[in-house]
Amino acid sequence: MAHEEAIEKAAALLADADGLLVAAGAGIGVDSGLPDFRGNSGFWRAYPPLERLGLAFHEIACPDSFDTDPRLAWGFYGHRLALYRATTPHAGFGILRAIGARMARGSFVFTSNVDGQFQRAGFDREAIVEYHGSIHHLQCTRPCCDAIWPADDVHPDVDMDACRLVSDLPHCPRCGALARPNILMFNDGAWLPQRSEAQMARFQRWRTGLRRPAVIELGAGVDIPSVRRVAESMEVPLIRVNPRAAEVRKGVALEMGALPALSLLAAALEIDPSQSSSLNA
Ligand SMILES: [Zn+2]
C-alpha cells in the first residue's frame, strides 16, 4: 500500500502529542457532499443561474452585491445557509474529535470555512477559530455598530432557478438597513472581525500552553494561504492532507481526500469511527 508508511509516520506524530491543531480549508467539506467553489466551473456547477448571469464567485461574494441586488446576494447566501444547516459532517470530523480527545490539552480548530460544520460535528464552540467569519451569524451592511448576531431567525426561501431570495430580507435590528452574513467577503471593507478576533485570542492562549503539538491540515488551498500559514506557524512536523497539493517541507504528505485519510489514521490509531459519532446535537 503506497500510503502505508506515511500513515504510520502520521499516527506516530499524533500518538506522541499533547494537543491537536486541526487546520481546515474548503476541501474538508467535499466528502460531506458540499460543493467545491474552485474555479468558475466548480462554482457554476453549484449555481447555474449565476453562470447565466456571468457572475464569478468573487463577483457575488462581495459587499457590493448586497447594494446592487440584495435578493440575488441573499439568494446565494440564503441557499448556502440552508445547505450547511442540512448537511451532516462526514465521519472524518468524529475521527478528528476522537484523536484530540486522547490528548491532554485536547484539540483546537482553525478554519477558513464559514459553514459551521465543526460546531455541527460536536467540536467545542470555544475551541474553534472561524478566521473568515460564519454564515450562521449576521451583521449590518452599513455597518451602523459592532453588533454580530446569530442567523437563527433567518429561514431563507430561495428560488434556485434564479438564485433569488423570495422570503423576507433580513435587516439590522438597530438601524433597519439590510443585514448580511458576518463573513469576510472579497473587497470587503465592512466586515466586522470582532467575533473571529475573540476566537483567535482563545486560540493563542491554548497554543502557548502546548509542549508537543500535532497539526493536521486538511483541504487547505494555496490560493488563500491563511490556513497553511497557521498550520506551519506551529513549527512542528505537519500532517498535510490534500488530494492535489500535499507537498510539505517538514512532516507527512497524504495525497488524498479528508475522509479516506482520516479513516486510515483511525485504523492506525485503533479508533473505531462508529464510536466517534460526528453529530452530538
Ligand atoms: Zn445597522
Side-chain angles (χ1 to χ4, degrees):
M1 185 191 277
H3 297 296
E4 210 165 64
E5 195 187 336
I7 290 289
E8 250 171 58
K9 272 191 200 162
L13 290 174
L14 294 169
D16 191 40
D18 68 341
L20 175 68
L21 172 62
V22 177
I28 194 175
V30 172
D31 293 322
S32 302
L34 292 175
D36 181 353
F37 293 165
R38 274 167 46 87
N40 280 341
S41 60
F43 177 62
W44 284 339
R45 206 174 307 125
Y47 293 95
L50 299 182
E51 177 172 18
R52 290 196 291 277
L53 293 168
L55 286 174
F57 182 38
H58 69 271
E59 291 169 312
I60 187 78
C62 61
D64 277 358
S65 67
F66 287 86
D67 289 336
T68 53
D69 195 342
R71 290 201 172 273
L72 184 70
W74 262 109
F76 174 60
Y77 282 103
H79 175 264
R80 290 177 65 193
L81 177 61
L83 174 68
Y84 298 146
R85 281 175 178 163
T87 298
T88 301
H90 62 74
F93 285 85
I95 294 168
L96 287 168
R97 268 178 60 199
I99 295 172
R102 291 177 164 195
M103 300 184 190
R105 305 296 305 273
S107 60
F108 218 106
V109 173
F110 180 98
T111 183
S112 58
N113 299 342
V114 300
D115 54 24
Q117 293 296 292
F118 282 97
Q119 285 91 335
R120 273 189 72 71
F123 279 79
D124 179 359
R125 285 160 195 269
E126 300 289 303
I128 300 173
V129 179
E130 293 166 300
Y131 194 62
H132 292 170
S134 163
I135 200 168
H136 303 286
H137 291 78
L138 304 181
Q139 64 163 82
C140 179
T141 44
R142 293 170 57 194
C144 68
C145 60
D146 288 346
I148 297 168
W149 64 95
D152 298 355
D153 294 337
V154 178
H155 301 285
D157 184 4
V158 178
D159 169 11
M160 274 313 285
D161 290 335
C163 189
R164 297 187 74 80
L165 187 80
V166 291
S167 48
D168 290 344
L169 287 164
H171 289 95
C172 170
R174 272 81 177 174
C175 75
L178 185 67
R180 52 164 268 191
N182 179 229
I183 292 175
L184 176 62
M185 301 177 189
F186 294 92
N187 297 313
D188 195 350
W191 182 57
L192 295 173
Q194 288 84 347
R195 186 172 166 275
S196 295
E197 284 172 356
Q199 295 174 330
M200 199 64 190
R202 283 196 288 273
F203 170 58
Q204 297 296 3
R205 283 195 294 277
W206 176 80
R207 72 185 281 177
T208 53
L210 297 177
R211 301 173 71 113
R212 298 178 315 280
V215 183
I216 304 183
E217 179 202 283
L218 306 113
V222 289
D223 298 337
I224 302 166
S226 46
V227 174
R228 287 188 170 219
R229 213 175 284 144
V230 165
E232 286 164 1
S233 78
M234 299 297 284
E235 295 180 331
V236 293
L238 169 69
I239 302 163
R240 172 164 284 154
V241 180
N242 196 304
R244 281 174 294 266
E247 200 174 300
V248 60
R249 253 199 313 276
K250 188 178 155 206
V252 182
L254 298 175
E255 203 163 284
M256 56 182 97
L259 180 56
L262 290 167
S263 301
L264 290 171
L265 282 173
L269 293 163
E270 295 179 341
I271 289 169
D272 179 356
S274 66
Q275 298 298 305
S276 50
S277 157
S278 66
L279 276 183
N280 75 344

